[in-house]
Amino acid sequence: MAIKRKNKKKNGSLLTLACSLLALLVVLIVFLTQKNTIFTNLKETSFFDKTIGTTPEFVKNHEVEKKEQKSETVELKDSAVTIKIESENSAIPEEKLAEPKEENKTLQEEKTIETEKTESVKSENKKSEEKKEVKPQPKKAATTQLQLCFVEIDGDGSVTRKIVKRSVPKNNSPLTVAINELLKGPSVSSSSEKNCMSLIPSGTKLLSAKVTDGVAYLNFNDNFDINPYGVEGYVNQLMQIVYTATSFSTVNSVQFLIEGEKREYLGSEGQWIGTPLSRGSF
């Protein structure tokens, strides 16, 4: 019986000791977790000054350390987490954080210069291509006006002479060109030649032409020797040639040749062509 009482008393003592240790541990944990608050309250209320007359050094030191520590709070808008950054140095101003490093500035300037050079080269290439694409306008060919002699037949059957002008490309043999244009006959597209006609035999061709001492030597083929309109036709075909040739200042008269030969008469009607003929011959 005495042993049971002894054990019961021993167990009660152990339980009391355990409770005391637990309470002490809880106080210690609370003290450690609330140390800053406790020290702050002790300092602000001057607890130690009122009770023992002086504040312990560890409380003073704790306050000094607290002042030296600064914290920054960065709030994350997308979460409820708050991060505290402890730093002994003062916060860096936003202007300095936003300011790029000198090296980055240099790289940016170099990129800008390079971009400007590239744009300049592209612009020059474009201008060069535009210049190449512009083709020079072809120059208008120089022209000269020839005076051709045709005839008109009136209502009573009389034949009258008519001089018309025709523009042709400028050339080195204007007399030859003029006679060949005359042999083509009046142009149906020209209003000035609308009522004109030619009495030169069809199929007549100019074989050669030269001018010596004011005399134009014109050589025709055999077709020139046959005129279906009789004497009137021969006279007017010669007149058309003479007036056309003598429109040039270097020609005063025309010597007619047939197939390279000089003949005295033209055709069966016997029109004289043995000597050079001038405008006064008609």
mmCIF file of all heavy atoms in Angstrom, residues 112-139:
data_model
loop_
_atom_site.group_PDB
_atom_site.id
_atom_site.type_symbol
_atom_site.label_atom_id
_atom_site.label_comp_id
_atom_site.label_asym_id
_atom_site.label_seq_id
_atom_site.Cartn_x
_atom_site.Cartn_y
_atom_site.Cartn_z
ATOM 1 N N THR A 112 21.002 52.236 -84.894
ATOM 2 C CA THR A 112 20.288 53.330 -85.574
ATOM 3 C C THR A 112 21.058 53.821 -86.790
ATOM 4 O O THR A 112 20.502 54.037 -87.865
ATOM 5 C CB THR A 112 20.077 54.495 -84.595
ATOM 6 O OG1 THR A 112 19.350 54.025 -83.456
ATOM 7 C CG2 THR A 112 19.294 55.624 -85.270
ATOM 8 N N ILE A 113 22.391 54.002 -86.628
ATOM 9 C CA ILE A 113 23.235 54.459 -87.742
ATOM 10 C C ILE A 113 23.222 53.432 -88.873
ATOM 11 O O ILE A 113 23.132 53.772 -90.054
ATOM 12 C CB ILE A 113 24.672 54.699 -87.254
ATOM 13 C CG1 ILE A 113 24.690 55.886 -86.272
ATOM 14 C CG2 ILE A 113 25.610 54.974 -88.431
ATOM 15 C CD1 ILE A 113 26.016 56.098 -85.597
ATOM 16 N N GLU A 114 23.298 52.148 -88.498
ATOM 17 C CA GLU A 114 23.309 51.083 -89.518
ATOM 18 C C GLU A 114 21.989 51.059 -90.279
ATOM 19 O O GLU A 114 21.946 50.876 -91.497
ATOM 20 C CB GLU A 114 23.538 49.727 -88.824
ATOM 21 C CG GLU A 114 23.839 48.585 -89.775
ATOM 22 C CD GLU A 114 25.173 48.764 -90.482
ATOM 23 O OE1 GLU A 114 26.076 49.426 -89.907
ATOM 24 O OE2 GLU A 114 25.309 48.255 -91.602
ATOM 25 N N THR A 115 20.883 51.264 -89.532
ATOM 26 C CA THR A 115 19.560 51.288 -90.178
ATOM 27 C C THR A 115 19.457 52.452 -91.151
ATOM 28 O O THR A 115 18.940 52.321 -92.262
ATOM 29 C CB THR A 115 18.459 51.406 -89.112
ATOM 30 O OG1 THR A 115 18.563 50.303 -88.210
ATOM 31 C CG2 THR A 115 17.080 51.404 -89.766
ATOM 32 N N GLU A 116 19.965 53.623 -90.743
ATOM 33 C CA GLU A 116 19.933 54.793 -91.631
ATOM 34 C C GLU A 116 20.760 54.566 -92.880
ATOM 35 O O GLU A 116 20.363 54.954 -93.984
ATOM 36 C CB GLU A 116 20.446 56.026 -90.873
ATOM 37 C CG GLU A 116 19.502 56.497 -89.770
ATOM 38 C CD GLU A 116 20.091 57.655 -88.983
ATOM 39 O OE1 GLU A 116 21.280 57.978 -89.237
ATOM 40 O OE2 GLU A 116 19.374 58.233 -88.141
ATOM 41 N N LYS A 117 21.929 53.917 -92.722
ATOM 42 C CA LYS A 117 22.769 53.621 -93.891
ATOM 43 C C LYS A 117 22.041 52.683 -94.843
ATOM 44 O O LYS A 117 22.077 52.854 -96.061
ATOM 45 C CB LYS A 117 24.085 52.985 -93.440
ATOM 46 C CG LYS A 117 25.047 53.968 -92.782
ATOM 47 C CD LYS A 117 26.337 53.278 -92.421
ATOM 48 C CE LYS A 117 27.334 54.255 -91.781
ATOM 49 N NZ LYS A 117 28.598 53.581 -91.411
ATOM 50 N N THR A 118 21.379 51.644 -94.272
ATOM 51 C CA THR A 118 20.658 50.682 -95.110
ATOM 52 C C THR A 118 19.542 51.365 -95.887
ATOM 53 O O THR A 118 19.347 51.115 -97.074
ATOM 54 C CB THR A 118 20.073 49.569 -94.223
ATOM 55 O OG1 THR A 118 21.142 48.952 -93.482
ATOM 56 C CG2 THR A 118 19.381 48.513 -95.080
ATOM 57 N N GLU A 119 18.777 52.242 -95.187
ATOM 58 C CA GLU A 119 17.690 52.951 -95.853
ATOM 59 C C GLU A 119 18.229 53.859 -96.954
ATOM 60 O O GLU A 119 17.635 53.995 -98.017
ATOM 61 C CB GLU A 119 16.907 53.779 -94.826
ATOM 62 C CG GLU A 119 16.121 52.954 -93.814
ATOM 63 C CD GLU A 119 15.057 52.113 -94.471
ATOM 64 O OE1 GLU A 119 14.525 52.533 -95.503
ATOM 65 O OE2 GLU A 119 14.761 51.022 -93.955
ATOM 66 N N SER A 120 19.383 54.494 -96.702
ATOM 67 C CA SER A 120 19.993 55.376 -97.703
ATOM 68 C C SER A 120 20.403 54.595 -98.942
ATOM 69 O O SER A 120 20.179 55.020 -100.073
ATOM 70 C CB SER A 120 21.208 56.082 -97.101
ATOM 71 O OG SER A 120 21.839 56.894 -98.065
ATOM 72 N N VAL A 121 21.011 53.403 -98.718
ATOM 73 C CA VAL A 121 21.432 52.558 -99.854
ATOM 74 C C VAL A 121 20.221 52.109 -100.655
ATOM 75 O O VAL A 121 20.225 52.115 -101.895
ATOM 76 C CB VAL A 121 22.236 51.347 -99.339
ATOM 77 C CG1 VAL A 121 22.484 50.360 -100.471
ATOM 78 C CG2 VAL A 121 23.565 51.804 -98.752
ATOM 79 N N LYS A 122 19.147 51.719 -99.953
ATOM 80 C CA LYS A 122 17.932 51.284 -100.656
ATOM 81 C C LYS A 122 17.362 52.422 -101.487
ATOM 82 O O LYS A 122 16.909 52.214 -102.613
ATOM 83 C CB LYS A 122 16.893 50.806 -99.636
ATOM 84 C CG LYS A 122 17.223 49.466 -98.989
ATOM 85 C CD LYS A 122 16.119 49.056 -98.037
ATOM 86 C CE LYS A 122 16.427 47.702 -97.403
ATOM 87 N NZ LYS A 122 15.352 47.304 -96.461
ATOM 88 N N SER A 123 17.373 53.638 -100.915
ATOM 89 C CA SER A 123 16.849 54.795 -101.638
ATOM 90 C C SER A 123 17.661 55.074 -102.898
ATOM 91 O O SER A 123 17.110 55.346 -103.966
ATOM 92 C CB SER A 123 16.854 56.019 -100.719
ATOM 93 O OG SER A 123 16.405 57.154 -101.398
ATOM 94 N N GLU A 124 19.005 54.997 -102.784
ATOM 95 C CA GLU A 124 19.874 55.231 -103.944
ATOM 96 C C GLU A 124 19.635 54.180 -105.018
ATOM 97 O O GLU A 124 19.599 54.473 -106.215
ATOM 98 C CB GLU A 124 21.342 55.221 -103.504
ATOM 99 C CG GLU A 124 21.735 56.408 -102.640
ATOM 100 C CD GLU A 124 21.610 57.736 -103.384
ATOM 101 O OE1 GLU A 124 21.798 57.730 -104.615
ATOM 102 O OE2 GLU A 124 21.319 58.742 -102.742
ATOM 103 N N ASN A 125 19.491 52.892 -104.574
ATOM 104 C CA ASN A 125 19.256 51.812 -105.544
ATOM 105 C C ASN A 125 17.933 52.013 -106.268
ATOM 106 O O ASN A 125 17.816 51.763 -107.468
ATOM 107 C CB ASN A 125 19.258 50.462 -104.830
ATOM 108 C CG ASN A 125 20.641 50.079 -104.328
ATOM 109 O OD1 ASN A 125 21.651 50.598 -104.824
ATOM 110 N ND2 ASN A 125 20.720 49.200 -103.355
ATOM 111 N N LYS A 126 16.916 52.472 -105.500
ATOM 112 C CA LYS A 126 15.616 52.694 -106.114
ATOM 113 C C LYS A 126 15.687 53.792 -107.159
ATOM 114 O O LYS A 126 15.130 53.689 -108.246
ATOM 115 C CB LYS A 126 14.602 53.056 -105.030
ATOM 116 C CG LYS A 126 13.173 53.142 -105.542
ATOM 117 C CD LYS A 126 12.214 53.402 -104.410
ATOM 118 C CE LYS A 126 10.782 53.480 -104.922
ATOM 119 N NZ LYS A 126 9.822 53.732 -103.820
ATOM 120 N N LYS A 127 16.396 54.902 -106.824
ATOM 121 C CA LYS A 127 16.541 56.001 -107.783
ATOM 122 C C LYS A 127 17.283 55.543 -109.025
ATOM 123 O O LYS A 127 16.957 55.919 -110.145
ATOM 124 C CB LYS A 127 17.283 57.164 -107.123
ATOM 125 C CG LYS A 127 16.464 57.893 -106.067
ATOM 126 C CD LYS A 127 17.270 59.028 -105.469
ATOM 127 C CE LYS A 127 16.466 59.781 -104.402
ATOM 128 N NZ LYS A 127 17.261 60.866 -103.804
ATOM 129 N N SER A 128 18.322 54.694 -108.808
ATOM 130 C CA SER A 128 19.103 54.198 -109.939
ATOM 131 C C SER A 128 18.250 53.334 -110.852
ATOM 132 O O SER A 128 18.326 53.419 -112.070
ATOM 133 C CB SER A 128 20.308 53.394 -109.421
ATOM 134 O OG SER A 128 21.054 52.879 -110.495
ATOM 135 N N GLU A 129 17.396 52.475 -110.224
ATOM 136 C CA GLU A 129 16.522 51.618 -111.029
ATOM 137 C C GLU A 129 15.512 52.451 -111.800
ATOM 138 O O GLU A 129 15.180 52.142 -112.945
ATOM 139 C CB GLU A 129 15.800 50.632 -110.106
ATOM 140 C CG GLU A 129 16.727 49.564 -109.526
ATOM 141 C CD GLU A 129 16.001 48.658 -108.564
ATOM 142 O OE1 GLU A 129 14.779 48.880 -108.358
ATOM 143 O OE2 GLU A 129 16.627 47.726 -108.040
ATOM 144 N N GLU A 130 14.989 53.522 -111.146
ATOM 145 C CA GLU A 130 14.031 54.374 -111.840
ATOM 146 C C GLU A 130 14.669 55.062 -113.040
ATOM 147 O O GLU A 130 14.054 55.219 -114.085
ATOM 148 C CB GLU A 130 13.479 55.422 -110.867
ATOM 149 C CG GLU A 130 12.546 54.826 -109.814
ATOM 150 C CD GLU A 130 12.078 55.871 -108.826
ATOM 151 O OE1 GLU A 130 12.591 57.012 -108.911
ATOM 152 O OE2 GLU A 130 11.218 55.559 -107.990
ATOM 153 N N LYS A 131 15.939 55.479 -112.883
ATOM 154 C CA LYS A 131 16.635 56.106 -113.999
ATOM 155 C C LYS A 131 16.834 55.129 -115.142
ATOM 156 O O LYS A 131 16.736 55.477 -116.312
ATOM 157 C CB LYS A 131 17.987 56.645 -113.520
ATOM 158 C CG LYS A 131 17.870 57.884 -112.639
ATOM 159 C CD LYS A 131 19.231 58.380 -112.218
ATOM 160 C CE LYS A 131 19.115 59.620 -111.338
ATOM 161 N NZ LYS A 131 20.447 60.103 -110.910
ATOM 162 N N LYS A 132 17.142 53.855 -114.779
ATOM 163 C CA LYS A 132 17.355 52.851 -115.822
ATOM 164 C C LYS A 132 16.070 52.561 -116.569
ATOM 165 O O LYS A 132 16.067 52.296 -117.752
ATOM 166 C CB LYS A 132 17.900 51.565 -115.200
ATOM 167 C CG LYS A 132 19.326 51.696 -114.693
ATOM 168 C CD LYS A 132 19.805 50.385 -114.096
ATOM 169 C CE LYS A 132 21.237 50.510 -113.573
ATOM 170 N NZ LYS A 132 21.704 49.240 -112.956
ATOM 171 N N GLU A 133 14.915 52.558 -115.812
ATOM 172 C CA GLU A 133 13.648 52.214 -116.431
ATOM 173 C C GLU A 133 13.150 53.307 -117.372
ATOM 174 O O GLU A 133 12.370 53.048 -118.265
ATOM 175 C CB GLU A 133 12.612 51.960 -115.341
ATOM 176 C CG GLU A 133 12.875 50.678 -114.557
ATOM 177 C CD GLU A 133 11.877 50.488 -113.434
ATOM 178 O OE1 GLU A 133 11.020 51.382 -113.260
ATOM 179 O OE2 GLU A 133 11.957 49.469 -112.744
ATOM 180 N N VAL A 134 13.564 54.559 -117.136
ATOM 181 C CA VAL A 134 13.116 55.659 -118.005
ATOM 182 C C VAL A 134 13.828 55.569 -119.349
ATOM 183 O O VAL A 134 15.030 55.759 -119.444
ATOM 184 C CB VAL A 134 13.402 57.028 -117.344
ATOM 185 C CG1 VAL A 134 13.032 58.149 -118.310
ATOM 186 C CG2 VAL A 134 12.639 57.157 -116.042
ATOM 187 N N LYS A 135 13.076 55.229 -120.348
ATOM 188 C CA LYS A 135 13.638 55.093 -121.682
ATOM 189 C C LYS A 135 13.580 56.444 -122.394
ATOM 190 O O LYS A 135 12.578 57.158 -122.312
ATOM 191 C CB LYS A 135 12.861 54.051 -122.483
ATOM 192 C CG LYS A 135 12.989 52.648 -121.909
ATOM 193 C CD LYS A 135 12.206 51.660 -122.756
ATOM 194 C CE LYS A 135 12.336 50.249 -122.198
ATOM 195 N NZ LYS A 135 11.558 49.278 -123.009
ATOM 196 N N PRO A 136 14.639 56.800 -123.069
ATOM 197 C CA PRO A 136 14.627 58.082 -123.789
ATOM 198 C C PRO A 136 13.596 58.072 -124.905
ATOM 199 O O PRO A 136 13.415 57.064 -125.595
ATOM 200 C CB PRO A 136 16.059 58.178 -124.355
ATOM 201 C CG PRO A 136 16.553 56.762 -124.404
ATOM 202 C CD PRO A 136 15.895 56.058 -123.244
ATOM 203 N N GLN A 137 12.895 59.159 -125.017
ATOM 204 C CA GLN A 137 11.884 59.269 -126.064
ATOM 205 C C GLN A 137 12.559 59.350 -127.432
ATOM 206 O O GLN A 137 13.526 60.090 -127.603
ATOM 207 C CB GLN A 137 11.042 60.535 -125.850
ATOM 208 C CG GLN A 137 10.217 60.488 -124.580
ATOM 209 C CD GLN A 137 9.158 59.426 -124.630
ATOM 210 O OE1 GLN A 137 8.662 59.086 -125.712
ATOM 211 N NE2 GLN A 137 8.815 58.881 -123.482
ATOM 212 N N PRO A 138 12.080 58.540 -128.365
ATOM 213 C CA PRO A 138 12.688 58.578 -129.704
ATOM 214 C C PRO A 138 12.501 59.943 -130.358
ATOM 215 O O PRO A 138 11.427 60.556 -130.266
ATOM 216 C CB PRO A 138 11.911 57.498 -130.482
ATOM 217 C CG PRO A 138 10.636 57.339 -129.725
ATOM 218 C CD PRO A 138 10.952 57.610 -128.291
ATOM 219 N N LYS A 139 13.551 60.412 -130.948
ATOM 220 C CA LYS A 139 13.498 61.705 -131.617
ATOM 221 C C LYS A 139 12.684 61.592 -132.898
ATOM 222 O O LYS A 139 12.736 60.595 -133.600
ATOM 223 C CB LYS A 139 14.910 62.197 -131.942
ATOM 224 C CG LYS A 139 15.742 62.502 -130.710
ATOM 225 C CD LYS A 139 17.105 63.014 -131.114
ATOM 226 C CE LYS A 139 17.947 63.347 -129.886
ATOM 227 N NZ LYS A 139 19.296 63.855 -130.269
#
